[in-house]
Amino acid sequence: MNKKKKKKLVPFRLNVLFFIVFLLFSILVLRLGELQIVFGEDFKREIERTEDITVSNPVPRGKIFDTNGNIIVDNTPLNAITYTKSQNTSQEEMLKTAEKLAKIINMDTEKIPVRDKKDYWIIKHPKQAKEKITKKEWAQYEEKKLEDKDIYKLQLERVTDEELNSIQGEDLEILAIYRKFNSGYALTPQIVKNKDVTPDEFAAVSENLENLPGVDTTTDWDRLYVTGNTLRSILGDVSSSESGLPKDQLEKYLAKDYSRNDRVGKSYLELKYEDVLHGEKAKVKNITDKSGKVLSTEVISEGKRGKDLVLTIDMDLQKQVEQIIEEEMWAAKQKYPNAALLDRAFVVVMNPKTGEILSLGGRQIVKDKETGKPEMRDYAQGTFTSSYAVGSSVKGATILTGYQTGAIKPGTVLLDEPLRIASTKPKSSWKTFGSINDLRALQVSSNVYMFKTAIAMAGGHYVPNKPLPLDYTAFNTMRRYFSQFGLGVRTGIDLPNEMTGFPGADKTPGLLLDLAIGQYDTYTPLQLAQYVSTIANGGYRVQPHIVKEIREPLMENNELGPIIKELEPKVLNRIDMKDEWVKRVQEGFRMVMQVGDGTGVGHWKSAPYNPAGKTGTAQAFYDGSDKSKRMTPVTSLSLVTYAPADNPEVAMAVVVPWAYEGHSGPSINHLIGRRVLDAYFELKNSRQEPADEENAANAAEVLAADNNQ
């Protein structure tokens, strides 16, 4: 009995289930039919009526901080008025909106080109413009012998000065606004005004947006260089929204989803780190009708400010370096009449172990175009974009090259005497030193010791008053070893436009001797800094870099976000020389600054930070901005140094091209260098003292707590 009931119950449930499925399916069919038959045409029209177009809006660039977390480059907010034209906006519609907007805001009308004025006159006076074309020309147009562009060109040519001068007052403001409208791209907001927008203007435009199609109010930004002209040339520049993308790189940027009027880095840091600083653009969907008119907008993503850069530069030190260079240059020019051609000086301060650039200083005296008076300008980029003969500073590389090639050995004694080579002027040191070894040669900067090292390297044999045949391949040998220190090759700094310097083309034997004392090839100040760092750190050529970290942006004004990337020290090569050889040259450099009659003792022996280094004097020819003085014989000065000698933490190169005419003048290389290293260690000590005081206070608190217990 129970079995029969169960059998009847199962088919009944299945039938109910099938009925429910059938009912739901029927409802679905009816609904689909209703959508297709009743509302199909409406949806079709809606699809035809609207179109979704996504555009990208720019965001503020990333900020730039110095190594201590002090902000160097920021973004300052600006009230801005923008215009977004639809795809099919006519000239008449834009002009009508411009006329309304001109009644509300003031526009700068000084920089309107004549061509734009002519275009505007033709738009405003179509009948008169048409009359400027002769019947014959219209006939040629009908016969298709003239095109629209030909007719328009003739109209432009025939707009008179009197007609142009009739565009005055409000018409000029309308034209200025219309130019901004017309410079934008469809559905992309274009800045109409973002400088000096008054609160009243901003409020008035905001209140009248319904009557100003395409116009909007927003917050824009402008780049703010907080430290003024300090390091200004290295920080670089950013294009304006008006100039937009550079023409020579247009395709590259457009492929990266940039808009034509986007602001991008134009030079140095702003250019080199454009991909980092630019940020993620905000995405906005514009819903338009078939005619291109914007019906509504929808924010897809808010965008994100560009990532922040933390530099290796210590701005406190940088400011002092620039001030020191300026003061010493002006003082030298005022005190020494033969320093008239002195117009530039450079300082590079870096960590010899990590390659971090602590200061990149360059100053140049130029004539103000308006006043004609000399003024000092930033020329920090000259530390790696200009090169000079640097003289004896390179003798450390010469000695090490001599060791490596077997021309000399540590302790080799050579006779310092004037060299008299047939058909050549005598070549000598600044003083005759007699028999000296390699350390003494560095200490007193013997030229003859370097000459004889180069002669031995080239397989020559010096005989007084006889010719001196040398193997010219020694030029390549010496340059190859010099390049291991960074001399004559790019250092690899993370900035554009670095130059390598200029190797002399002639391979006359006597010029090899000049190469050995730094008076033939030219080197950049940055190359000198890398060279002395290589000696200071024991033989490792470290790549210099000016960016320390890349960080996530934070909304808080001057705070640093999490680290995205930290630039680690990069060793480019180890010099092909023994450790004991490098240590011997290090000892020679210490003797230069601290022992006996070393060439730097007078300026450096009293320094409390145990300096080592090498001085340089080069006979050169003036090649500056005063063309009338070109090729005047001058003396250029240089200095390479590091400290402390036993455990270097800072290395420095100073280059002062064309310091004076003649054979004597200001020791400006020493004066600048000593003051800069003094400033470095004073800053270091001043920063340690508060930390020491804080540690002492914390220790006292702990001790007091223990006593109380």
Side-chain angles (χ1 to χ4, degrees), residues 682-701:
E682 286 170 6
L683 273 173
K684 177 188 173 184
N685 293 335
S686 68
R687 288 166 179 163
Q688 286 178 339
E689 287 172 4
D692 293 342
E693 291 175 3
E694 184 178 350
N695 292 335
N698 292 337
E701 288 178 7

Side-chain angles (χ1 to χ4, degrees), residues 419-437:
L419 300 186
R420 293 180 172 84
I421 304 167
S423 304
T424 304
K425 291 181 179 179
K427 300 177 79 69
S428 62
S429 302
W430 62 277
K431 176 182 175 182
T432 300
F433 293 101
S435 295
I436 56 175
N437 66 8

Side-chain angles (χ1 to χ4, degrees), residues 413-637:
V413 175
L414 298 174
L415 179 63
D416 185 301
E417 59 180 335
L419 300 186
R420 293 180 172 84
I421 304 167
S423 304
T424 304
K425 291 181 179 179
K427 300 177 79 69
S428 62
S429 302
W430 62 277
K431 176 182 175 182
T432 300
F433 293 101
S435 295
I436 56 175
N437 66 8
D438 48 341
L439 291 180
R440 177 71 174 157
L442 288 172
Q443 178 189 15
V444 297
S445 198
S446 167
N447 286 344
V448 174
Y449 196 97
M450 308 302 153
F451 294 156
K452 290 188 173 181
T453 299
I455 291 169
M457 189 190 314
H461 179 67
Y462 168 69
V463 178
N465 301 312
K466 296 290 184 180
L468 183 62
L470 299 175
D471 183 355
Y472 71 89
T473 61
F475 280 94
N476 296 334
T477 301
M478 186 173 289
R479 285 169 177 155
R480 185 173 71 253
Y481 284 114
F482 274 30
S483 69
Q484 292 187 21
F485 297 90
L487 296 172
V489 293
R490 289 186 175 88
T491 66
I493 189 171
D494 52 340
L495 288 169
N497 304 326
E498 183 183 8
M499 74 176 302
T500 59
F502 294 101
D506 194 351
K507 293 190 175 179
T508 302
L511 295 175
L512 179 66
L513 310 189
D514 293 337
L515 177 61
I517 63 169
Q519 298 215 113
Y520 189 40
D521 290 1
T522 64
Y523 310 110
T524 68
L526 184 59
Q527 287 172 351
L528 272 192
Q530 189 179 55
Y531 147 72
V532 74
S533 293
T534 304
I535 291 175
N537 67 31
Y540 296 91
R541 183 165 78 100
V542 182
Q543 180 176 345
H545 58 100
I546 196 169
V547 173
K548 183 178 181 180
E549 299 164 349
I550 299 173
R551 290 183 174 249
E552 283 285 1
L554 288 181
M555 295 305 294
E556 289 77 5
N557 282 335
N558 295 325
E559 293 187 16
L560 289 169
I563 294 177
I564 298 172
K565 182 179 179 180
E566 187 173 4
L567 278 75
E568 300 290 341
K570 182 178 181 180
V571 176
L572 300 177
N573 61 267
R574 170 69 164 86
I575 59 174
D576 191 17
M577 293 142 192
K578 296 179 180 179
D579 288 344
E580 56 263 34
W581 295 349
V582 178
K583 289 179 181 177
R584 190 164 179 85
V585 170
Q586 289 175 340
E587 173 59 17
F589 276 23
R590 188 191 68 82
M591 293 169 64
V592 167
M593 298 295 206
Q594 300 188 46
V595 177
D597 56 352
T599 55
V601 167
H603 292 276
W604 293 90
K605 187 176 182 180
S606 62
Y609 37 78
N610 189 19
K614 185 72 189 74
T615 58
T617 303
Q619 305 307 311
F621 295 96
Y622 175 74
D623 190 30
S625 57
D626 188 345
K627 295 181 181 179
S628 66
K629 297 290 185 179
R630 294 277 174 87
M631 300 309 293
T632 299
V634 289
T635 297
S636 296
L637 302 175

Side-chain angles (χ1 to χ4, degrees), residues 348-393:
V348 179
V349 184
M350 65 185 285
N351 184 320
K353 297 175 182 177
T354 66
E356 293 184 354
I357 299 292
L358 307 178
S359 176
L360 208 58
R363 307 300 280 174
Q364 182 179 19
I365 298 173
V366 297
K367 284 187 178 179
D368 185 273
K369 292 181 180 179
E370 295 182 0
T371 65
K373 295 181 179 180
E375 64 176 13
M376 197 78 70
R377 290 186 184 174
D378 180 49
Y379 190 32
Q381 77 270 28
T383 55
F384 57 90
T385 63
S386 61
S387 65
Y388 311 91
V390 298
S392 301
S393 291

